[in-house]
Amino acid sequence: MLSAAEVIQLNKEKTLTSWMAQGGWNPIPIERAEGIYMYAADGKRYIDWSSQLVNVNLGHSHPRVVKAIQEQAAKLCYVSPSYATEPRGELGDLLSQVTPGNLSKAFFTNGGTDAIENAMKIARLYTGRQKILTRYRSYHGATFAAMTAGGDPRRLGNEPGVPWIVRLPDPYAYRNPVYRGRTQEEGDLIIAEQIEEIVEMEGPGECAAIMVEGYSGSSGIIQPSALYFKRLREICDKYGILLIVDEVMSGFGRTGEWFGIDHYPEVQPDIMALAKGITSGYVPLGAAVVSEPIAAFFDDHTLIAGLTYSAHPLACAAGAETIQVYRDENLIDRSRELGKVLRKGLVDLAEKHPVIGDVRGTGLHQVIELVKNRETREPMSPFNKPMTDPMKAASAALKEKGLQTMLRWNMIFSTPPLIITEEQLQEGLDILDSVLTAMDQHYEG
Ligand SMILES: Cc1ncc(COP(=O)(O)O)c(C=O)c1O
């Protein structure tokens, strides 16, 4: 067995990591994880306050999913996607039960990015149109076209990317000047008008789909009102454009509904992209789920798409069991209820700590935005620049105190596993509290 130091050394010397210059990578060697906790090689325990990359919704090592994977592995690890298997059929059926509207058939992928790639491809094949319209503050994955689709700065090293993405303004009430002196809904209506104008300018006959996250995720949980989604659906219907909803992060109970878009029951997607919580991250899996008319179209049109690992039996078995666990343990309702506890905790922190400028999100999917001054809203660390102190120091302090979570620029995310208890939520909030106390000294109000 390797020592912790050897594990780190081999990882650094022989593998590449994501989203950073390799020299700055100082990984913690993780040995095991259970429930909301993960354990480093030196025995140190961390609360997983982000569910890793907002995917480990069931917490770590859920025994039912582990068993389902083991049993499937003993029977059949892999066959090509041209065969039928029980877990594939079962998962397809479960997805058609839990997804909204007339979403009826799933094309399985390896993760979220290729769910998005295939969703965009299907929309282009079905409509015969080219352009996909997406929000600036969104993330849709990291292959070439998916990376262009997300408007978030993560795309910038990949520019100009594919030529058929058009970007839309964001319903960002806290920072978009459109919202100054207006309510969220008033501002959203203006943004929707701008979107319709962009469609007109781009040529409606060129626009295959508008693609948005069902509930905004890592770009800052920047979520509009129901009115915005209603207008988006109306614009799509008026011009024959499809609505693709990316539920890769917001799906499977994260926001207190099965899917983020379920907060707006009158709005139904034509295509939904899924991944992450579909297996709680235990085996890589994604899906592009399509409506009945789109599914029928492909009865006599070739679906020009394919992946060696599409509908992988191990992944499908993990997915089917994961969905049963969400149901049997009432985790969707639990996320909604515990989300209220989390919100109250964050609002209490905002009363105590002036550095908290905004609290956003719902369910177990929330974020605080930290500012130097509540009047000017100057961010505690600038947008799209390497993180500066005191955010950088806060990030280190959270880790040191045993809380691992997602931070971006001036934002701290709270997206714990849906199985977290109220006491464990409090444990995390107490750590946040102590770190925010240190940050208050840097408030300039
Ligand atoms: C909303 C959204 N879409 C797509 C993706 C890409 O998924 P993956 O990293 O599984 O390829 C992500 C990943 O974070 C995401 O948050």
Side-chain angles (χ1 to χ4, degrees):
M1 190 166 142
L2 300 176
S3 70
E6 287 167 335
V7 169
I8 296 173
Q9 190 193 352
L10 272 184
N11 275 255
K12 285 181 60 126
E13 277 184 18
K14 299 295 178 190
T15 74
L16 292 166
T17 195
S18 327
W19 300 114
M20 60 162 68
Q22 305 297 303
W25 189 32
N26 291 307
I28 300 169
I30 296 296
E31 230 167 47
R32 67 188 181 88
E34 198 177 338
I36 70 152
Y37 299 110
M38 49 187 215
Y39 299 86
D42 63 2
K44 184 169 169 130
R45 190 186 82 170
Y46 295 87
I47 299 178
D48 187 351
W49 195 248
S50 66
S51 310
Q52 295 307 294
L53 294 176
V54 202
N55 57 337
V56 184
N57 288 5
L58 297 184
H60 297 270
S61 310
H62 194 292
R64 277 183 55 183
V65 182
V66 171
K67 184 159 172 266
I69 296 166
Q70 287 168 335
E71 287 179 357
Q72 184 58 43
K75 261 194 296 197
L76 175 71
C77 278
Y78 176 76
V79 279
S80 101
S82 60
Y83 294 98
T85 67
E86 185 176 340
R88 171 186 180 158
E90 197 187 346
L91 180 58
D93 187 30
L94 284 166
L95 289 176
S96 73
Q97 291 170 32
V98 299
T99 54
N102 64 355
L103 294 177
S104 70
K105 277 190 179 180
F107 179 74
F108 290 113
T109 65
N110 301 326
T113 298
D114 48 343
I116 290 293
E117 292 280 353
N118 283 288
M120 294 194 293
K121 184 191 276 181
I122 287 169
R124 286 159 54 104
L125 288 171
Y126 178 75
T127 60
R129 302 174 180 183
Q130 298 279 319
K131 294 181 185 176
I132 309 280
L133 290 74
T134 67
R135 277 176 53 176
Y136 269 101
R137 289 177 195 265
S138 68
Y139 178 72
H140 296 295
T143 53
F144 203 70
M147 204 162 190
T148 313
D152 178 292
R154 277 170 279 189
R155 78 181 196 276
L156 291 175
N158 184 52
E159 296 280 74
V162 298
W164 37 265
I165 297 291
V166 174
R167 295 205 187 83
L168 305 173
D170 288 294
Y172 192 4
Y174 190 60
R175 295 200 181 275
N176 184 338
V178 162
Y179 289 82
R180 254 174 237 150
R182 295 196 170 92
T183 64
Q184 176 83 51
E185 291 201 331
E186 287 165 351
D188 288 351
L189 280 179
I190 296 172
I191 298 288
E193 260 179 63
Q194 291 175 339
I195 291 175
E196 183 160 6
E197 197 192 358
I198 291 170
V199 167
E200 292 278 8
M201 297 302 291
E202 291 292 335
E206 313 286 319
C207 298
I210 294 178
M211 180 163 77
V212 290
E213 289 169 68
Y215 212 104
S216 158
S218 56
S219 301
I221 312 193
I222 295 160
Q223 191 68 356
S225 64
L227 210 52
Y228 167 98
F229 275 102
K230 183 167 168 281
R231 287 289 298 122
L232 218 53
R233 185 70 261 184
E234 283 168 2
I235 294 165
C236 286
D237 291 343
K238 181 168 168 189
Y239 298 101
I241 297 170
L242 300 180
L243 181 61
I244 303 176
V245 174
D246 179 346
E247 294 282 356
V248 168
M249 184 175 280
S250 53
F252 300 100
R254 177 55 47 201
T255 68
E257 295 285 347
W258 272 99
F259 300 99
I261 199 70
D262 291 341
H263 290 279
Y264 320 104
E266 72 279 19
V267 177
Q268 283 166 13
D270 299 297
I271 306 176
M272 200 183 245
L274 305 173
K276 294 191 187 265
I278 192 171
T279 60
S280 193
Y282 289 22
V283 183
L285 181 68
V289 188
V290 302
S291 67
E292 278 161 12
I294 297 174
F297 173 84
F298 287 105
D299 283 344
D300 48 16
H301 293 81
T302 302
L303 178 56
I304 309 163
L307 300 156
T308 297
Y309 298 122
S310 179
H312 195 288
L314 279 188
C316 289
E321 191 65 13
T322 298
I323 291 177
Q324 302 285 15
V325 173
Y326 289 130
R327 278 181 165 167
D328 294 347
E329 297 187 10
N330 276 327
L331 292 179
I332 313 303
D333 294 342
R334 185 188 175 87
S335 169
R336 188 181 317 124
E337 291 312 309
L338 285 178
K340 292 174 194 160
V341 178
L342 175 61
R343 172 51 70 107
K344 180 171 183 318
L346 294 174
V347 168
D348 287 350
L349 289 180
E351 270 169 25
K352 187 169 165 195
H353 302 288
V355 285
I356 299 183
D358 203 18
V359 183
R360 296 192 290 269
T362 191
L364 293 173
H365 186 67
Q366 305 202 25
V367 68
I368 51 178
E369 195 168 323
L370 304 183
V371 292
K372 289 188 181 159
N373 180 307
R374 283 187 177 178
E375 290 299 310
T376 64
R377 302 185 177 183
E378 185 186 345
M380 198 50 95
S381 190
F383 175 73
N384 195 25
K385 300 262 165 39
M387 196 181 275
T388 54
D389 274 330
M391 278 304 287
K392 212 169 148 188
S395 170
L398 287 169
K399 264 209 187 99
E400 202 272 318
K401 289 170 189 283
L403 185 136
Q404 100 80 37
T405 195
M406 198 162 84
L407 287 90
R408 291 192 80 208
W409 309 311
N410 67 328
M411 295 180 281
I412 302 179
F413 291 78
S414 293
T415 56
L418 314 187
I419 47 106
I420 196 167
T421 64
E422 258 190 81
E423 296 72 45
Q424 290 168 333
L425 265 182
Q426 198 50 56
E427 198 182 333
L429 286 163
D430 288 346
I431 296 176
L432 274 178
D433 188 15
S434 68
V435 169
L436 290 167
T437 300
M439 283 188 98
D440 282 339
Q441 305 161 29
H442 302 274
Y443 186 70
E444 294 172 4

